[in-house]
C-alpha cells in the first residue's frame, strides 16, 4: 500500500491512466493532431534558433513529451523546445565550439542531460524553492530582453544575411556590415511571411468570427497560421527554383526516429556547462510551472511543483539520450493544448507519435522550406514575450524592483543571457538585504480609550516621558542588527527622561544570533545607564528561541504578552487613565 | 556657518581640540607612554606575522595614529597593526609575490592604499551598512579560525623551524617535515616566553593585587608583560651569543622616520588586490567599530559609524604613503588606552610620537631581539581571540547561524581566509533567504470575549466555516511569494465551505513586485471560484504602496483596519457574539 502510494506520487500516469476512457482517448487524439501541426514548424524553428540542424528540434519533440505524459501532473502542459531556452542553449554551446561542429551538437545534448539531472535532483530533494530566487521582475525583464535579442537575431535570416554574437549588441553589430548583402528573394519571402503572420495574429480571428466560426475555433485556426506560411513559401521556393537564387532552405532532413545513445560525459565539459545548465533549468522551470499553475487553476486541477521538477528532469534527460536539446513547457503550445480541450497528459504522448510520423514520412516535404519563413515565425512568437509596459508598471510600484528589472534587461542585451540573469538575481537579493537593513521603527503611544498603541507621529496618543515605546517593523537579523542597536542608543540619548524602553515586537518574525548579540549589547548599555529594557508581543516561535538564550536571564525588564500589559506594569495609573478616557473612538 | 558645521563633522578634532586643557594634555601624555611601550613589540610582531620587515610595523604605527586623532570620533580607539588584518595581508600579498621581495612589500602597501580608499568611499557614500553583511556568527567564527591559524603558524618560529602556507592545514602540513630541525636554543627562549606571558595574563594580576596595587594598576602592569619578556630574552641572546647558535633575531632595524611616497599604482595589481582589500577593510572596520562602540558606551560618549569609516580610511591611506601596511583599531590596545584614561584622540597622536622616538633612538636595542619571543607574544595575544564556546552557544540558539559559523571556521582553516569569509557571508545570506522562503502562516480565530485573533491550533477560538483567516508571519517578497500563493490555494482547496479569505498582515513589513503578482494571481483564482479575498491590519508604508498598484482595484474584497473589522463586515452576528461571550478572559 505504502509502495503503491509512493508509485502513484512519482508516476501520476497511474492515477489518470486508471480512469482513462475511450471518450477521453478520442478527445486527446484530436488535440494531439492540432498541437502536432503547430509543433512541427516550432520545433524546426527553435532548432534553428539554437544553432542546430532541424531534425534535432523534431527529436526534442518526441521522447520528452512521452516522459512528461508519464511523470507530469499538469493536464495541459505541452513540453518541447521553446524560444528562451533555445537562445540560452545557443549561448552556452557557443562557449564550447562553433555552430555546425559535432562538438557544438554534443554540448547542446550535454546541456539537456545536465539540466535533466539538476531538475530531477531538485525535485527529489524538494529544492523547488531555488526557483523562487528568480524574482518576478527579474524573470520578466530577462524574458523581455531575450525576446528582443531573439527577434534581432532572426531578422538576419529574414533578410538573407549573416549575424552572430552572444548578446543583442553583438548581434546587431555583426549585422550592420552585412546589410549590403541582403538577398532580395529571401527578403520578399521573409517580410511577406512576417506580415502574414502578424495579420493572422491580429486580423484573422475577427474575420473568422465574422464568418460565423466559434470563438474557440477561430482561436485555434489562427494558431495554425504558421503552417500556411510554411506551405506557401515552400511551394514558392520549389516552384520558382528560388534556392538557386541564394534563398537558404532547410534541405535534407534525415528521415526516421532518433537513435538512443548516452550523452557526452566528459567531466570538463560538464563542469563548463554546469552554470548555464542550472540557469536553463531554473528559467525553464519557472516558465513551465507558471503556465501549468495558471491553466490548472482555470479547471480546478492540482499541479504538484516538486513532481513537475521530476517530470521536466525526466523530459530533459530523455531529450538528451534521444539526441535532442533542452526542453520545457511552452506557453503558446500549452494554451492551444488547453483550449483544444486536452483532458489528460496522454494528449502529449499522442503529439509525440504525430511528430514521429512526420519524421518518418514528411521530411522530404520540408526540403524547400526557406529558413526565412522559420525565422519569421520565431520573430512573431517572441515579440509577444516582450513586455515593456511591465517596466513602467513595476517602476510605479517599487523602484528597487524596477532597478533589478532594468539591470537584467540592459545586461542581458549588452552582456548576454547568463550575465544578465545572474546580475538580476544578485541585485534583487542585494536590494532586499539593503531595504531590510534600515527598517522602519515607530515610537508609539496609547490611543486614548483603547488598549492599542500607534505611531506617535501619526496619531494623538498618550505617552509617559519615562517610557520609550518602540515598535520594530522588521525581523531582527544580521543586516539590520547593528542599525537597531544604534537606533535604540540614539533614541535613548535624545530623550533624557527615559527610564524604561519597551520594544513592541508583533512584526518581529525572527531574531537571529547577530540580533540577539545586539539586544544583549543594548540591554547591557541601558543597564549601565539605569534604564530597564522590556519586550512586548513577542511571537511564539521567537519566544521559544529566546527561552534558549542567556538574554532572557540578563534582561533587566520583562517580556509582556501585550504592549498594554507592559505599560501597565510600569505606570498602571497612566495606562488605566488613557484606557478610560473617551477622547477618541 | 554651514561650512564650519561640515568641517566639524568631518574633522572631529575641531570639536575636542577647542576644549583641550593642560590637564587633559598631561593625562593624554601619560596614557601615550603606556600604549607606546605596549605598541612597540606588537608592531614588530604583527609585521613579522604579515611577512614584513620589522620597521614596516613601526611605520604603520605612526601616520595612521596621527590621522585617526584628526578624523576619528572614538576617544579610546588605538589604531595600528592588528593580528587578523596582518594575517589577511600576508595571505593576499602571497598571491602576488613571495615574502622578502620588493613586490611583496609593494603589495602590502597597495593593500593599505586600496583599503584606505574603499573605507573612505564607504564613509563618504554612507555605505557602512555593507559591514552588516558580516553576521555576528560569521565574524566570530572567522576570528576564531584566524586565531587558531595564526597561533599554529607562530609555533614554527617559537620552535625555530620553517612554516608557510595560506591556511591552517597548509601551515601544519609544511611544519611536520621540519620537526626534526627544531633549534633547542630557540625553543627554550620561545617556550619560556610563552609560559611567562601566560603567567602574566593569569597569575601576575592576583599577585600584584595581593601586594596592594589597585585593580587598574595591576591590569596595566600585566599588559606590559611582553616588554619584560622582550628585554630579558634580548639580553640573553646578546649575553650568551645565541644568535650564533641559530636563534633567529630581528637584526638591523633601519633607523629613522618613514619616507613618504606614493603606493604602487599598477591597475593590474589593484584589480588583483581589490577583493582581499575589501575583506580586510570590512573585517577591520567591524572589529574597530565594535571596540569603539563598546568603550564609548561605558563613558556615554558618541561614536559616529560613518565618520569612523572616514577616519580608518585616512589612517590606512596614511599608512600606505608612509610605507606601512593595513591598520585598524585593535581590541587589547584600545582597552589599555581606555583603562589608562585616554581623554581625547590626542593620546593616539602622542603615541605616534613615542613610536617615532623609538625608531629614531631605540632600534639598535632591538638587534638581538629573538623572533621566537615576538611569536610567543602573538600566540598569547591571538589565543584570546579563539572562542570555541561561542559555537556551542550559537548552536543552542540557532542551528542555521551555527551552520554559517562552523562553515566559516572550517573553510578558513582548510582553504584560507578569503574563501572562508566569503563562504560564511554567502551561506548566511542564503540561509536567511531559505528560512524566509517558507514562512509561518497561522489559521486564526477570534478569542471569545475579545477582539483578538489567535492561532486556532494553539487557542480555543471562534471560527466561521465560510471564513478562512490566515495570519502571515513574514514580509511578502520574491523568495516566499510562490510559497504563500501555493499555501493559500491549498488551504482553500482543503476547506470546501470557504467563501471568504482574509489575510491578516500585521507582520507583513513589505510586499514586493513578485509578491504583488502572487496576490493578484491568488485574487484571480479565488474569484474564479466565487471566493472573495480581504486583507486586514495592513501597515501604513505597505498600504501606501498598494494604493499605487492595480491590485487594489482588482481585489474582490476590502482592506480592513483590524481583523475584527474584517470578520464583522462579513459575519457581524458571529463577531459580536464572540466578543460578548465571557468564555475566557
Amino acid at each position: 500500500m505504502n509502495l503503491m502510494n509512493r508509485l502513484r506520487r512519482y508516476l501520476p500516469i497511474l492515477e489518470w491512466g486508471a480512469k482513462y476512457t475511450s471518450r477521453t482517448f478520442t478527445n486527446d487524439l484530436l488535440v494531439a493532431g492540432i498541437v502536432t501541426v503547430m509543433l512541427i514548424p516550432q520545433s524546426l524553428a527553435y532548432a534553428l534558433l539554437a544553432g542546430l540542424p532541424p531534425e534535432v528540434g523534431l527529436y526534442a519533440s518526441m521522447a520528452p513529451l512521452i516522459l512528461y505524459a508519464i511523470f507530469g501532473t499538469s493536464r495541459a502542459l505541452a513540453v518541447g523546445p521553446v524560444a528562451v531556452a533555445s537562445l540560452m542553449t545557443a549561448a552556452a554551446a557557443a562557449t564550447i565550439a562553433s555552430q555546425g561542429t559535432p562538438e557544438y551538437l554534443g554540448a547542446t545534448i550535454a546541456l539537456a542531460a545536465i539540466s535533466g539531472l539538476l531538475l530531477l535532483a531538485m525535485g527529489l530533494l524538494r529544492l523547488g524553492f531555488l526557483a523562487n530566487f528568480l524574482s518576478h521582475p527579474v524573470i520578466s525583464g530577462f524574458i523581455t530582453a531575450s525576446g528582443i535579442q531573439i527577434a534581432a537575431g532572426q531578422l538576419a535570416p529574414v533578410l538573407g544575411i549573416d549575424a552572430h554574437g552572444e548578446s543583442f549588441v553583438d548581434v546587431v553589430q555583426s549585422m550592420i556590415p552585412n546589410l549590403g548583402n541582403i538577398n532580395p528573394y529571401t527578403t520578399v519571402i521573409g517580410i511577406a511571411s512576417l506580415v502574414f503572420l502578424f495579420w493572422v495574429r491580429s486580423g484573422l480571428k475577427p474575420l473568422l468570427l465574422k464568418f460565423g466560426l466559434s470563438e474557440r475555433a477561430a482561436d485555434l485556426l489562427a494558431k495554425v497560421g504558421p503552417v500556411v506560411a510554411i506551405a506557401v513559401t515552400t511551394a514558392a521556393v520549389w516552384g520558382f527554383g528560388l534556392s538557386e537564387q541564394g534563398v537558404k532552405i532547410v534541405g535534407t532532413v534525415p528521415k526516421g526516429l532518433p537513435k538512443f545513445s548516452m550523452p557526452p560525459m566528459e567531466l570538463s565539459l560538464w563542469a563548463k556547462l554546469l552554470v548555464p545548465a542550472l540557469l536553463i533549468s531554473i528559467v525553464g522551470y519557472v516558465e513551465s510551472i507558471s503556465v501549468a499553475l495558471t491553466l490548472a487553476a482555470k479547471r480546478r486541477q492540482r499541479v504538484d511543483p516538486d513532481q513537475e521538477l521530476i517530470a521536466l528532469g525526466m523530459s530533459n534527460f530523455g531529450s538528451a539520450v534521444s539526441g535532442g536539446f533542452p526542453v520545457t513547457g511552452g506557453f503558446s503550445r500549452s494554451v492551444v493544448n488547453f483550449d483544444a480541450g486536452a483532458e489528460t497528459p496522454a494528449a502529449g504522448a499522442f503529439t509525440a507519435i504525430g511528430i514521429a510520423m512526420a519524421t518518418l514520412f514528411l521530411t522530404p516535404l520540408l526540403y524547400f522550406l526557406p529558413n526565412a519563413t522559420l525565422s519569421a515565425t520565431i520573430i512573431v512568437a517572441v515579440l509577444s514575450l516582450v513586455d515593456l509596459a511591465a517596466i513602467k508598471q513595476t517602476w510605479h510600484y517599487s523602484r528597487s524592483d524596477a532597478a533589478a528589472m532594468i539591470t537584467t534587461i540592459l545586461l542581458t542585451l549588452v552582456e548576454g543571457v547568463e550575465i544578465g540573469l545572474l546580475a538580476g538575481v544578485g541585485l534583487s537579493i542585494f536590494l532586499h538585504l539593503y531595504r531590510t537593513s534600515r527598517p522602519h521603527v515607530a515610537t508609539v503611544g496609547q490611543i486614548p480609550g483603547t488598549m492599542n498603541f500607534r505611531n506617535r507621529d501619526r496619531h494623538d496618543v498618550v505617552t509617559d516621558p519615562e517610557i520609550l515605546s518602540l515598535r520594530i517593523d522588521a525581523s531582527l537579523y544580521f543586516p539590520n542588527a547593528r542599525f537597531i542597536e544604534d537606533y535604540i542608543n540614539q533614541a535613548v540619548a535624545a530623550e533624557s527622561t527615559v527610564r524604561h524602553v519597551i520594544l513592541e515586537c508583533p512584526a518581529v518574525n525572527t531574531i537571529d544570533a547577530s540580533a540577539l548579540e545586539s539586544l544583549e549589547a543594548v540591554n547591557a548599555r541601558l543597564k549601565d545607564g539605569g534604564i530597564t529594557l522590556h519586550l512586548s508581543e513577542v511571537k511564539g516561535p521567537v519566544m521559544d528561541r529566546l527561552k534558549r538564550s542567556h538574554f532572557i536571564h540578563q534582561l533587566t525588564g520583562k517580556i509582556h504578552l501585550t504592549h498594554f500589559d507592559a505599560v501597565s506594569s510600569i505606570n498602571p495609573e497612566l495606562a488605566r487613565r488613557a484606557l478610560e478616557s473617551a477622547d477618541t473612538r
Side-chain angles (χ1 to χ4, degrees), chain A:
Chain A
M1 191 58 204
N2 201 357
L3 178 74
M4 200 58 210
N5 273 345
R6 273 205 179 180
L7 269 181
R8 274 225 185 85
R9 212 197 113 204
Y10 289 119
L11 293 169
I13 192 173
L14 296 177
E15 189 86 28
W16 59 261
K19 301 174 199 147
Y20 208 66
T21 64
S22 66
R23 202 200 59 76
T24 329
F25 172 74
T26 325
N27 195 63
D28 282 347
L29 210 58
L30 179 79
V31 172
I34 297 170
V35 177
T36 304
V37 170
M38 190 177 170
L39 184 52
I40 294 172
Q42 282 196 356
S43 59
L44 299 174
Y46 293 141
L48 185 81
L49 175 56
L52 292 166
E55 65 272 18
V56 179
L58 295 168
Y59 297 168
S61 308
M62 287 184 260
L65 278 71
I66 293 173
L67 287 162
Y68 185 82
I70 298 172
F71 294 98
T73 59
S74 162
R75 313 224 150 176
L77 199 71
V79 167
V82 302
V84 175
S86 301
L87 174 73
M88 294 175 82
T89 299
T95 63
I96 305 294
S98 22
Q99 286 190 13
T101 60
E103 288 75 23
Y104 185 90
L105 177 61
T108 62
I109 293 175
L111 276 171
I114 305 169
S115 283
L117 295 178
L118 287 173
L119 287 163
L120 211 53
M122 281 163 68
L124 293 172
L125 303 174
R126 313 201 145 251
L127 295 175
F129 74 91
L130 282 175
N132 298 344
F133 293 126
L134 275 190
S135 72
H136 196 271
V138 168
I139 189 84
S140 151
F142 177 69
I143 287 179
T144 288
S146 300
I148 294 173
Q149 181 177 340
I150 294 170
Q154 295 304 310
L155 210 55
V158 163
L159 302 175
I161 59 175
D162 280 336
H164 52 84
E166 280 184 45
S167 71
F168 170 77
V169 171
D170 288 354
V171 166
V172 170
Q173 273 180 346
S174 75
M175 272 168 69
I176 292 167
N178 297 336
L179 283 179
N181 310 326
I182 286 178
N183 179 297
Y185 303 96
T186 309
T187 306
V188 168
I189 292 172
I191 300 289
S193 301
L194 266 183
V195 171
F196 172 74
L197 290 169
F198 275 119
W199 172 77
V200 163
R201 288 228 154 195
S202 54
L204 180 60
K205 196 182 145 188
L207 203 68
L208 291 173
L209 289 175
K210 218 189 273 173
F211 283 135
L213 268 79
S214 75
E215 175 90 19
R216 205 177 115 190
D219 255 341
L220 289 177
L221 261 180
K223 289 273 159 63
V224 295
V227 176
V228 177
I230 281 169
V232 172
T233 55
T234 304
V237 171
W238 171 70
F240 300 113
L242 295 180
S243 64
E244 282 132 56
Q245 306 299 328
V247 173
K248 284 202 187 124
I249 54 173
V250 166
T252 312
V253 178
K255 217 177 229 182
L257 298 176
K259 284 163 197 54
F260 288 87
S261 65
M262 283 307 284
M265 302 290 269
E266 298 101 75
L267 196 67
S268 66
L269 179 69
W270 281 48
K272 273 188 215 154
L273 293 177
L274 188 65
V275 171
L278 182 67
L279 296 179
I280 292 173
S281 306
I282 290 187
V283 168
Y285 174 65
V286 169
E287 204 179 336
S288 184
I289 192 77
S290 51
V291 177
L293 286 172
T294 306
L295 297 180
K298 286 190 199 265
R299 298 227 175 106
R300 320 240 132 204
Q301 295 158 345
R302 277 280 302 144
V303 165
D304 172 357
D306 282 320
Q307 180 62 26
E308 282 300 289
L309 283 164
I310 294 173
L312 286 180
M314 294 303 289
S315 299
N316 273 290
F317 199 78
S319 184
V321 296
S322 60
F325 65 113
V327 294
T328 192
F331 180 71
S332 58
R333 272 197 308 273
S334 300
V335 171
V336 168
N337 214 9
F338 180 82
D339 285 344
E343 292 197 12
T344 71
F350 300 151
T351 306
I353 296 171
I355 299 284
M357 304 298 250
T359 37
L360 287 171
F361 307 113
L362 295 184
T363 52
L365 294 181
L366 297 172
Y367 186 88
F368 286 108
L369 168 54
N371 285 348
T373 310
L374 289 178
S375 293
T377 66
I378 296 179
I379 292 176
V380 174
V382 297
L383 283 183
S384 68
L385 301 177
V386 176
D387 183 6
L388 294 172
I391 303 175
K392 204 182 140 197
Q393 209 174 317
T394 307
W395 177 263
H396 194 62
Y397 180 71
S398 153
R399 298 288 142 92
S400 66
D401 275 315
M405 190 177 203
I406 293 168
T407 303
T408 308
I409 294 177
L410 292 181
L411 279 177
T412 304
L413 293 179
V414 177
E415 298 287 339
V417 286
E418 276 174 43
I419 291 178
L421 199 54
L422 290 173
V425 171
L427 186 63
S428 50
I429 291 174
F430 176 81
L431 287 173
H432 160 68
L433 295 173
Y434 176 66
R435 265 197 314 254
T436 58
S437 76
R438 302 183 152 262
H440 183 241
V441 180
T443 305
V444 297
Q446 190 174 356
I447 295 194
T450 75
M451 290 181 176
N452 296 335
F453 287 74
R454 289 287 184 275
N455 194 335
R456 72 172 174 193
D457 296 339
R458 294 197 184 202
H459 300 83
D460 262 336
V461 292
V462 178
T463 55
D464 177 338
E466 292 207 343
I467 303 176
L468 179 65
S469 290
L470 298 174
R471 190 189 70 220
I472 296 172
D473 287 351
S475 287
L476 295 177
Y477 75 124
F478 64 94
N480 62 27
R482 246 180 293 260
F483 174 85
I484 297 284
E485 190 178 335
D486 207 43
Y487 188 97
I488 298 171
N489 288 341
Q490 287 190 38
V492 170
E495 313 206 11
S496 56
T497 54
V498 169
R499 313 307 308 152
H500 310 276
V501 173
I502 316 172
L503 304 180
E504 192 190 359
C505 305
V508 176
N509 299 309
T510 175
I511 296 180
D512 80 353
S514 304
L516 184 71
E517 196 82 21
S518 287
L519 285 180
E520 286 174 354
V522 166
N523 182 57
R525 279 176 210 163
L526 291 179
K527 191 181 177 184
D528 282 351
I531 300 173
T532 61
L533 177 68
H534 302 257
L535 305 182
S536 75
E537 309 203 8
V538 177
K539 297 195 161 176
V542 176
M543 196 60 211
D544 291 348
R545 181 160 286 186
L546 282 182
K547 281 185 186 148
R548 299 205 302 265
S549 71
H550 296 307
F551 173 66
I552 204 126
H553 307 297
Q554 295 162 355
L555 189 65
T556 48
K558 277 189 190 156
I559 298 184
H560 306 268
L561 202 64
T562 70
H563 201 76
F564 180 78
D565 291 351
V567 173
S568 298
S569 79
I570 297 166
N571 189 342
E573 178 69 4
L574 186 80
R576 195 181 46 73
R577 260 193 287 128
L579 176 61
E580 283 164 5
S581 135
D583 209 345
T584 57
R585 286 169 65 121

